[in-house]
Amino acid sequence: MRSDLLRRASRAYSSQAVRLVTDVDHDPWGSVRASLYETARVVSLAPRLPGHEPRLTWLLEQQKQDGSWGEGPAPYRLLPTLSAVEALLSTVRSDTSSGTGPEQLAAAAAAGLAAVRNLPPAGPWPDTAAIEILVPSLVTQINDHLDQHTIELTPSLGPWSRGARLDVPHGFARRHEQVAQRSQSEGVPLKLHHTFEGVFRRVPQGAVLAPHGLLGSSPAATAAWLAATPSSGQSEKAVTELRTVARRYGGLFPEAAPLKTVERLWVAAALARPGLPLACRATIRAWIHDLYDAAGVRGAPGLMPDADDTAMVVLVAALAGEPRDVTPLDTFWSGTHFDCYVGEDTGSVTANAHALQALHAYALCQATAGAAHRPRMDLVADWLLAQQQTDGAWADKWHASPYYATERCVTALARHGGPTVRTALRSAADWVVATQRDDGSWGVWGGTAEETAYAVKILLAAQPVFHQPGADQALNRAEIVLEAASRTSGHRHPALWHDKTLYAPHAMIQAEVMAALQMLRMRRETGLAASGDERDTEGTAS
């Protein structure tokens, strides 16, 4: 009877996985929502691009009651609010709005300015992409608008006159100046192409060559390049790229396009955790054939090769039975861990966790590889262990939630093994059990299906090492949460992933939730966590 139930659950999971993989395979862009920050930058920098007026209307519709824009807690709304305010002021000054009155735009901008002024001046601010460059750049542009007599407004719309300027939040100004000076003397580094809109006013014209596709995979960066470039055949190609992206996203813009590399790799890796369905393997192997690059893998065209995507290609290739050489990771080796990309300022624990998983998976496919790579794997494991916080969690710059970073580290370390790892896993599992919400979910700001999936995987990865008291009950409650989320049609996952602002890669999140639920079903049906089960609390990680 139990085996029949397990087979039915596996068939259902396989069917769902095939549908998801097929959908991802047919979508060359990636399932992310439009970005308010990015769309506002295009409104300001490319007002003549078709669809300007609907984009302006959309910006007004997205404003919150407190005057801010964006998702997440207030500090995360600093950058999108500045972007929207600057776009509205730019529109008022340039008179590029035909259907929306300037007083309506000005009133919305005034409310946005008030929201910014109400933020704590010292943050703390999120570690999103190039926030230290983008925030002061936008503050400077807004202050330039506020200094102009042309937008002095009636008293009912706010005290806009000379002197009503914004202060650059603490800790941003110096870094922005340093980057601008280096870009002027040495040229704009490739790692800043994705956020070129933050420096283009401070560098010589022509500092960046015409992009092939979107500059740095970013609509905002491309619009900035257009604003600084005389009209030519090359600029017309950039306009065509922007119009193509706008058509895919209903006239709006995401923060990166296309996102298919990241989406395909993360979806495939998630689905492989409970077992990659056979019907998915041919498609995923085709993805690997297209994405693997001996020079390193880029998350999107126009970005730098990075260790995270390179490691994920190696990992997914091994899991799909098509192992690929790990040599491309050598480019990112720092001596103790992997830099996410050349010239990185702050290290990423999730990129290193993916690299450790990739090395282990490759070693399982290549009998002689384990011994050769073991010293490096030991160093990465030691580096990850050193990054663990006192509460047992890990945090990372690519995601707002510690549950994502902790799941990545626990999964990688559990496969690595060792006495120190056992202690770290116990601490992580204790933290997970202690932070479960009353409704059975987990979440950094509120319970989410995505974070609940990560918490489930943490506990399941830790169980072969030791039995955490309370884990079985926590997992049973979590299964109810994930079952309910999976039955909700069109479930909207909150934005938790870091780019310039928060975003939600829907297909990737769906794969994580789907896989965690299948792992819970397998656990339940095979009796791996029966009540009262006795385990060796000093067991060895697999």
Side-chain angles (χ1 to χ4, degrees), residues 87-109:
L88 297 180
L89 296 183
S90 177
T91 302
V92 171
R93 286 189 61 190
S94 60
D95 194 26
T96 54
S97 174
S98 58
T100 308
E103 288 200 353
Q104 182 182 359
L105 302 180

Side-chain angles (χ1 to χ4, degrees), residues 382-406:
D382 289 343
W383 186 83
L384 289 175
L385 290 167
Q387 312 309 310
Q388 189 175 25
Q389 299 174 350
T390 55
D391 62 0
W394 279 265
D396 191 58
K397 64 181 180 180
W398 298 124
H399 204 286
S401 174
Y403 294 99
Y404 172 74
T406 303

Side-chain angles (χ1 to χ4, degrees), residues 75 112 117 152 224 252 296 300 329 332 349 368 370 374 380 384-385 404 450 473 482 510:
R117 291 190 173 106
E152 289 181 356
L252 308 175
L329 280 170
F332 310 103
V349 298
T368 60
R374 188 71 192 189
V380 173
L384 289 175
L385 290 167
Y404 172 74
E450 178 186 355
Q473 182 181 4
L482 295 181
Q510 186 180 351

Side-chain angles (χ1 to χ4, degrees), residues 29 38 42 47 97 107 138 145 158 204 209 351 363 384 395 427 433 436 449 463 513 530:
W29 295 97
E38 207 82 4
V42 175
S97 174
L138 284 169
H145 294 315
L209 298 177
L384 289 175
S427 180
V433 170
Q436 188 174 29
Q463 281 198 334
V513 172

Side-chain angles (χ1 to χ4, degrees), residues 327-346:
T327 302
L329 280 170
D330 291 348
T331 301
F332 310 103
W333 183 244
S334 72
T336 59
H337 64 283
F338 291 97
D339 289 333
C340 205
Y341 51 85
V342 176
E344 182 181 41
D345 294 325
T346 56

